[in-house]
Amino acid sequence: MPEFCAPALGNRPNIVTIDTVIPDNASGVLYKLGSNSGDLTCFAEDGILCYEYNLFIIERTKIRAKEKLPTGRVKIEIRTSYGAPRPGGPLKVSMVVGGKTVAEGEVPISAPLLFTANGCLDIGIALGSPVSLDYADKAPFKFNGKIEQVHVKYVT
């Protein structure tokens, strides 16, 4: 889905809920918005849940869980809220697995509008160029589990 049609995940408070089936050592992209020139991605690498906000290659914010994802049916939530409600302001990001917060971080500067004119929202795979250098050599880094549903909810 082209970014200009996709949900505004990088600059508007939201909760992305992913209903998944997680295998041992889950790896692959859960979702990504944009491209290598900027945007955000959520992925698993060797069972560890990861999030990266790539601000136009100038600044990369990485948030990683310390423990591996549990196997089986798992609900993952990526919660994004304003650190300061202004264009380009900081964002607070929390990763929640099965109702438990597994990692939190702050994106110091957010993109005030869109990241790219040609980036896309991808689910379960990174088509086009990868947002994160962490999986650039593994692209398209298809998720090795099952994504049953992804839901985006804007929050205030």
Side-chain angles (χ1 to χ4, degrees):
M1 173 183 298
E3 183 175 356
F4 56 85
C5 296
L9 302 178
N11 56 13
R12 186 169 175 187
N14 66 79
I15 299 172
V16 177
T17 303
I18 310 157
D19 293 322
T20 64
V21 178
I22 302 291
D24 285 331
N25 293 316
S27 289
V29 170
L30 294 167
Y31 67 88
K32 73 116 174 147
L33 180 64
S35 65
N36 63 352
S37 62
D39 234 314
L40 54 90
T41 184
C42 179
F43 61 99
E45 188 170 43
D46 299 322
I48 302 294
L49 186 62
C50 308
Y51 175 93
E52 184 172 329
Y53 193 102
N54 173 356
L55 183 68
F56 306 117
I57 310 174
I58 298 167
E59 183 170 60
R60 294 175 183 269
T61 302
K62 297 180 182 185
I63 303 167
R64 294 177 65 91
K66 294 190 183 341
E67 297 178 15
K68 287 190 173 192
L69 288 162
T71 59
R73 291 191 180 281
V74 177
K75 181 176 291 217
I76 298 170
E77 293 179 327
I78 306 302
R79 300 177 182 173
T80 304
S81 61
Y82 287 128
R86 59 177 159 69
L91 300 173
K92 293 180 182 181
V93 178
S94 299
M95 298 191 308
V96 179
V97 176
K100 177 184 169 193
T101 301
V102 297
E104 296 178 298
E106 183 174 274
V107 175
I109 302 169
S110 62
L113 297 171
L114 295 175
F115 281 97
T116 65
N118 60 356
C120 292
L121 173 65
D122 296 328
I123 306 292
I125 193 167
L127 300 172
S129 61
V131 171
S132 176
L133 295 176
D134 290 351
Y135 60 79
D137 62 336
K138 301 171 195 157
F141 205 32
K142 182 174 174 33
F143 182 59
N144 66 349
K146 181 179 180 185
I147 297 174
E148 295 181 329
Q149 180 175 311
V150 176
H151 182 264
V152 176
K153 177 182 178 183
Y154 291 130
V155 293
T156 56

